[in-house]
């Protein structure tokens, strides 16, 4: 069953509960979030929580959502036979949403998103995400100081991640 916009409040509530100090509140919330992870649309809901303007005061919930998103993408981005994967439509949506949310004020969330973009770039660049670096360069031209810093952080992480690929064809693409 696909996660919908109506489930956004439920996921937000579960994220808040999973930060609780009480084990009786935290454990069921973590179990429910683990069950949501296998459902299509979960990553998009997490991205909506991260990008929500009204949650600016709840940076701990947004940080937890960014960590959940990074871990879920790491586990499910590649298409594998033994596990559920993220659909191509959701992947496209996430790549676009990540590039529109570059001016993150919270450094820890921005760092987690930069790591997430670099992990996606390792898998998708250049075949599925050929315009990654051109889009970042274009945004860099008209960016404020904070956005410029975040773009440089993403470029650093992505180039570092791509430089570790060991196949000859991947090294050739990186050299180009």
């Amino acid at each position: 069953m696909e996660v919908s916009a109506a489930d956004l409040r439920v996921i937000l509530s579960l994220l808040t509960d999973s930060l609780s100090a009480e084990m009786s509140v935290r454990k069921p919330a973590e179990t429910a979030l683990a069950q949501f992870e296998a459902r299509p649309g979960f990553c998009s809901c997490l991205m909506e929580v991260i990008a929500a303007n009204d949650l600016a005061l709840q940076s701990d919930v947004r940080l937890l959502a960014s960590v959940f998103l990074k871990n879920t993408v790491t586990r499910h981005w590649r298409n594998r036979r033994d596990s559920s994967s993220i659909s191509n439509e959701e992947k496209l949506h996430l790549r676009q949403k990540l590039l529109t949310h570059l001016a993150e004020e919270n450094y820890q969330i921005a760092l987690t998103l930069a790591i997430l973009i670099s992990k996606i770039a390792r898998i998708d660049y250049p075949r599925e995400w050929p315009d990654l670096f051109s889009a970042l360069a274009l945004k860099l031209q008209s960016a404020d100081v904070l956005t410029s810093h975040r773009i440089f952080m993403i470029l650093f992480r992505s180039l570092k991640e791509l430089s570790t690929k060991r196949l000859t064809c991947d090294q050739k693409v990186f050299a180009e």
Side-chain angles (χ1 to χ4, degrees), residues 131-148:
D131 62 336
L132 169 64
F133 293 110
S134 59
L136 288 173
L138 187 65
K139 290 182 182 286
L140 191 58
Q141 293 174 355
S142 63
D144 61 349
V145 175
L146 177 68
T147 306
S148 297

Side-chain angles (χ1 to χ4, degrees), residues 78 121-127 161-176:
R78 292 184 191 265
R122 181 178 179 88
I123 298 167
D124 285 358
Y125 182 80
R127 278 177 246 130
E161 187 74 29
L162 290 171
S163 72
T164 62
K165 293 179 93 171
R166 293 292 162 221
L167 292 177
T168 307
C169 60
D170 291 330
Q171 288 178 343
K172 182 181 178 186
V173 168
F174 179 73
E176 291 173 358

